[in-house]
Amino acid sequence: MKALVFTAPSVVELHDIDEPSVKPDEILVEVAAAGICGSELHGVRTPGFRTPPLVMGHEFAGTTPDGRRVAVNPILSCGRCDLCSRGHRQLCRGRALIGVHRPGGFAERVAVPVSSVHALPDGMSWTAAGLIEPIAYAVHTWNVARIPEGARVGVIGCGTIGLLCLQLARRRGAVSVVAADVSDRRAAVASRLGADSAGPSLRGEFDVVFDAVGLPATRADALARLAPGGTAVALGLASADPGFDAADLVRAEKRLLGSFGYTPAEFATAVGLAAEWDLSWVNTFPLTDGARVFTDLMNGGTEPVKALLTP
């Protein structure tokens, strides 16, 4: 079968590979849509957790051999450790990810644990199904922040996660939402999706700021733009350098939180929400174009905002 394979630092290639071997507790999914994530672009350019050769792809949906249309939760947890027992399966001490620690959805077919599949609502488009995983991420981020109704929300980074956080803020009663991105095109998409204003940097004061970039400068700006007592949520993983003023964090009683993944319940919530979102900014490409699209984005391209590969 065809698959997009991470073969070396900064290199992805379309290869013919063997069909998946399906274990007794697994099911085969014929992939219909698989999203390219910013973490994958960074992970290929600067390898760390991902080791080539690897078929990536942790945002995907498809069809099972018995005809069911499903989305796949890529977070694999043990279910037994202290964190799993407390309901934090996304933080499992033995956590693994489909598309990182085992083959993922950038292929025609992939074997996944039976427990990872979620049935899709009737009539849901494959575009919406392919965005369920990042929507779950946005839902978890909102829950982590514990945002009061009527909050002033800032969003730094208008890629997929930033735009989904923006739309969720509008749904959950934010009094204002301001977005920032160095790309004029992405800022324009944020405005179309409901941002009160969008430009290259945040202006004003906020109760909550989502940093969906993760550079030292964006982390510093997220905290600097908070009102005293406000909350910044770090989502992006572009750099390990924190870059922020810890003294301001203390004196103004600001909170800086990290957010990773989602709980099984939040993934299920995202399945129910996905069909309701404006996803007109998402573009689809055949898997055969995957290497070109992935490489363009990895090397700094800003279009498309979100790419789905369709085997």
Side-chain angles (χ1 to χ4, degrees), residues 281-293:
W281 43 278
V282 179
N283 293 90
T284 59
F285 301 88
L287 181 64
T288 50
D289 283 351
R292 175 186 62 80
V293 175

Side-chain angles (χ1 to χ4, degrees), residues 132-273:
I132 286 171
E133 196 275 348
I135 289 171
Y137 211 129
V139 170
H140 179 68
T141 298
W142 188 269
N143 291 340
V144 164
R146 300 178 182 175
I147 300 170
E149 188 168 345
R152 299 165 296 171
V153 174
V155 177
I156 301 175
C158 298
T160 301
I161 296 298
L163 293 176
L164 293 174
C165 285
L166 185 162
Q167 292 191 66
L168 190 60
R170 280 300 184 208
R171 287 173 171 273
R172 297 289 172 87
V175 69
S176 66
V177 185
V178 175
D181 198 289
V182 295
S183 163
D184 291 341
R185 161 148 165 72
R186 294 190 175 202
V189 173
S191 293
R192 182 164 56 79
L193 293 178
D196 294 290
S197 65
S201 60
L202 285 184
R203 294 287 183 269
E205 184 178 77
F206 304 92
D207 303 302
V208 180
V209 177
F210 297 112
D211 172 18
V213 178
L215 289 170
T218 58
R219 292 187 180 122
D221 197 37
L223 282 166
R225 291 293 170 186
L226 285 179
T231 300
V233 186
L235 297 162
L237 291 164
S239 172
D241 184 351
F244 59 84
D245 181 349
D248 179 51
L249 186 77
V250 173
R251 293 191 179 105
E253 287 193 354
K254 298 176 180 180
R255 295 195 305 157
L256 174 61
L257 305 174
S259 177
F260 179 86
Y262 33 79
T263 66
E266 288 164 337
F267 192 92
T269 296
V271 172
L273 287 175

